[in-house]
Amino acid sequence: METPKRRSWAEPYRMKMVELLKMTTREERLKALQDAGYNTFLLHADDVYIDLLTDSGTNAMSDRQWSAFMTGDEAYAGSKSYYILEETIQTHYGYKYVVPTHQGRAAENLISQILIKKGDIVPGNMYFTTTRLHQELAGGTFVDIIIDEAHDPTNEHPFKGNVDLDKLDAVVRQYGAEKIPYVCVATNVNMAGGQPVSMANLKALREYTHKHGIRIIHDMTRVAENAYFIQQRENGYQDKSIKEIVLEICSYTDGATMSAKKDALVNIGGFLAINDWDIFEEARNLVVVYEGLHTYGGMAGRDMEAVAVGIAESMDEHHQRARVGQVEYLGNRMIEFGIPIVKPIGGHGIFIDAKAFLPHLKQDLFPAQTLAAEIYLDSGVRTMERGIVSAGRKPNGENYYPNLELVRFTVPRRVYTQAHMDVIAESTAEVFEKRDRIKGLKMVYEPKYLRFFQARFEPL
Ligand SMILES: *Cc1c(COP(=O)(O)O)cnc(C)c1O
């Protein structure tokens, strides 16, 4: 690449409009936190200064995406915006058939209902909340086959998203290939901390699944960020473009679910893409029940236009360098302060190891949930829990006790500045200095599904 080595990751854009934020006092934040039951999901966004709750749907769109918005075709059937989106997906990801959905989980619902039968096993490289739930609702059981390194927040393996083929083989031997409708492979594994899968691993997985007649369904939510890491870290890919790498990744899989709210730089949207005509036929029938006609699937024509432009922009080398560079900058500031974070620094955010940050709190006292509340109180920075609360309960009612008890600082794309990153790290460092005084929370309300969204807590 022609970018000089000792140049910063500065953004390949400038600002034309800004969004003004409300600044709050500590007293106001304490009141807001109490009203929210110490769950950062329940805060009013208005009371948040820097919002790192998620990188999902929080992207800043470009001037080109906003222009495309105006050219959206809102025809109920056969909208030209659909054909533009379809062609963009075929060109950049290489999949044959496309069913638009309003977001990623709707695509997960379709593929789970179509492919999973009661009693089936779905191996995957770490669970994702909505993905696993749809697999379970369809009668399947998720089995984690990610490499052990992914569960160790201090391990610096460059591809912590990799599938452990021995684990997969053990599952195949135990249940038989006919019980496995597909292997679910996420690129840039969200729950592992935004960690990539290597191309070598994908190739080996393709070979193995071919031999056993098992499909691969790709959770491609952050595939371009994964491609950037392959370009930076994997032998033989330094001179390949992100666009080429993304196409190669997708070529080892049979279909994909996509949340366009991440990589694709929009605020809403998603799709199911698939190479098999019969599955496509069924998905096209089913999408009408849940989302809308197969040429809009829950999206407005203008949304499909913005997704199409966003997909192309996500392939830009300078964009990904600044995107991942900003996250690395924040992570390195945290490391300078001695804050325990998951390493290597991931693609879409920083993940603090709450067990190491608050070693005096047992997991039943919700250390990550507690820490997220403390950071909000200190500075109005909103983060979220990815630990025991997010992991939820097993179908038999027992709590999952995940190894990783993390606080997630997800960085929206093209939204915040380097000075914002400094404030985030400084505030976390201040909470870190006073960590001995932090006592934990107790859960006082627990919803049945995906409890992390609505659970309420009280301080001990
Ligand atoms: C966000 C996400 C999804 C679900 O997509 P939505 O658009 O939020 O429904 C699925 N998998 C992963 C890895 C995600 O990050």
Side-chain angles (χ1 to χ4, degrees), residues 56 103-106 108 128 130-131 186 190 219 221-222 259 261-262 269:
S56 178
Q103 57 187 89
R105 68 197 67 186
E108 292 169 351
F128 182 74
T130 59
T131 319
N190 186 349
D219 181 344
T221 296
R222 295 178 184 79
S259 170
K261 302 171 71 172
K262 286 63 173 262

Side-chain angles (χ1 to χ4, degrees), residues 332-380:
N332 284 326
R333 296 262 15 225
M334 298 265 196
I335 291 169
E336 284 166 26
F337 285 120
I339 297 163
I341 65 168
V342 174
K343 290 186 211 159
I345 295 166
H348 66 296
I350 301 304
F351 294 71
I352 288 185
D353 179 356
K355 285 181 181 171
F357 196 110
L358 298 170
H360 57 290
L361 293 193
K362 284 188 313 193
Q363 204 166 10
D364 291 306
L365 299 180
F366 311 111
Q369 188 80 31
T370 306
L371 189 49
E374 290 289 337
I375 291 164
Y376 171 74
L377 192 58
D378 184 75
S379 58

Side-chain angles (χ1 to χ4, degrees), residues 261-291:
K261 302 171 71 172
K262 286 63 173 262
D263 245 11
L265 295 163
V266 292
N267 307 118
I268 193 77
F271 57 81
L272 173 69
I274 196 88
N275 291 334
D276 182 305
W277 172 265
D278 293 331
I279 299 172
F280 170 60
E281 258 300 288
E282 232 178 301
R284 227 172 21 161
N285 287 323
L286 211 53
V287 77
V288 182
V289 181
Y290 292 106
E291 298 282 295

